Amino acid sequence: EVQLVQSGAEVKKPGESLKISCEGVGYNFTKFWIGWVRQMPGKSLEWMGIIYPGDSDTRYSPSFEGQVTISADKSISTTYLQWSSLKASDTAIYYCARLPSAAYNPYIYPFDYWGQGTLVTVSA
Amino acid sequence: QSALTQPASVSGSPGQSITISCTGTSSDVGGFGHVSWYQQHPAKAPKLLIYDVTTRPSGVSDRFSGSKSDNTASLTISGLQAEDEALYYCSSYSSDGAPWVFGTGTTVTVL
C-alpha cells in the first residue's frame, strides 16, 4: 500500500529554521515525483514545488522560489521541505503528495497520494 | 495567476444530486483536459476523486463524475450521502505561472 508519512507538528519562533520530512512507503520512491502543497488556515491549496528523488531534479512555484528548499534522500525514501528563517505567515499545514509519473514534465498529472500533513505554527 | 473560482458552499438532501462548478480561463481549465477534483474531510489530507476531467481513480465511487464546458469544469455528486460532507477543490494544469492551480474550495453540506 502506498503511503506518505510526514513528520509531526512543529511550533517555532519567527527567524528560526525548520526542516520537515515526508517518507514514501510501499512503492519505488525514486521513480515518482513528490510535491509539497501549502494550506494556510481556512484557505485553499497552493503548490510549492516538486522533486524527483531519482536525481533530485527540483522545480519551484514562482511564489515559493527562494523562500523554501526542497530536497530528498533516496537512501531513506524521504523528501524534505525546509526554511532558513521562518515568518508568522508560514503558519500552515504542509502536505507532501505524489505524482503518478516519472516524466520530465509531470505537470499534467494530478497528485494521487497525499501525506497526512504537518502543521507548522510560527509564533513569537 | 489567480485561483480557480468555486462556489463557497453547496448543499443538498440525502439521495439528491449536486454539482460544483470550477471556473478558470483559457490558460488553464479551458485550454487543457487536465482538471482534477479532490475531497478533503476536516483535519484530513485531500483525496483524489477525479482527474483528466472525467476519470475516476480505482476505488472512487461512481457517484462522483466530472465534466467540462469551455472554461468551467464541474463535479457532480449523485445519490448524496452524509459521508460526502467535506470540502472539495478543483485543480487544473495551467500554462500561466505555476503549472498547478487550485480552486477556492467548496463546502458541501448534506441537509
Side-chain angles (χ1 to χ4, degrees):
Chain A
E1 179 193 4
V2 173
Q3 290 185 70
L4 297 173
V5 182
Q6 298 187 229
S7 50
E10 302 273 1
V11 179
K12 291 289 189 179
K13 291 181 167 38
E16 292 186 330
S17 62
L18 176 63
K19 192 174 191 177
I20 62 175
S21 67
C22 166
E23 180 185 7
V25 179
Y27 72 99
N28 189 336
F29 181 74
T30 63
K31 299 291 189 188
F32 295 85
W33 290 85
I34 292 279
W36 285 94
V37 176
R38 182 175 78 174
Q39 187 169 40
M40 299 176 75
K43 301 296 185 182
S44 182
L45 305 165
E46 300 170 272
W47 170 70
M48 302 175 72
I50 55 172
I51 187 165
Y52 187 72
D55 61 7
S56 290
D57 184 2
T58 308
R59 323 269 177 88
Y60 292 95
S61 163
S63 299
F64 291 92
E65 180 91 52
Q67 307 304 308
V68 296
T69 301
I70 295 171
S71 60
D73 184 342
K74 61 185 179 182
S75 69
I76 54 172
S77 300
T78 298
T79 183
Y80 302 96
L81 177 65
Q82 68 180 86
W83 296 258
S84 58
S85 179
L86 286 160
K87 301 183 286 287
S89 58
D90 293 318
T91 295
I93 297 174
Y94 293 88
Y95 294 100
C96 61
R98 193 188 79 158
L99 290 166
S101 171
Y104 180 74
N105 288 313
Y107 306 117
I108 64 171
Y109 295 93
F111 294 101
D112 63 349
Y113 288 94
W114 293 65
Q116 82 275 24
T118 296
L119 174 62
V120 173
T121 303
V122 184
S123 174
Chain B
Q1 183 185 48
S2 300
L4 307 175
T5 301
Q6 298 179 235
S9 62
V10 174
S11 62
S13 299
Q16 283 187 329
S17 293
I18 61 170
T19 297
I20 303 167
S21 62
C22 168
T23 301
T25 69
S26 58
S27 296
D28 39 64
V29 174
F32 308 94
H34 302 298
V35 176
S36 303
W37 289 90
Y38 299 90
Q39 177 192 59
Q40 186 178 33
H41 285 109
K44 296 292 187 182
K47 173 189 173 184
L48 180 63
L49 290 179
I50 298 281
Y51 65 96
D52 289 350
V53 180
T54 61
T55 304
R56 281 188 308 276
S58 174
V60 172
S61 171
D62 60 4
R63 297 187 299 105
F64 296 94
S65 61
S67 62
K68 189 183 80 145
S69 177
D70 297 326
N71 294 340
T72 298
S74 298
L75 174 72
T76 297
I77 309 175
S78 305
L80 200 61
Q81 299 178 2
E83 67 202 50
D84 298 331
E85 274 207 350
L87 259 170
Y88 292 81
Y89 294 99
C90 61
S91 178
S92 175
Y93 168 77
S94 173
S95 60
D96 179 24
W100 288 278
V101 60
F102 289 94
T104 50
T106 299
T107 298
V108 167
T109 302
V110 181
L111 303 171

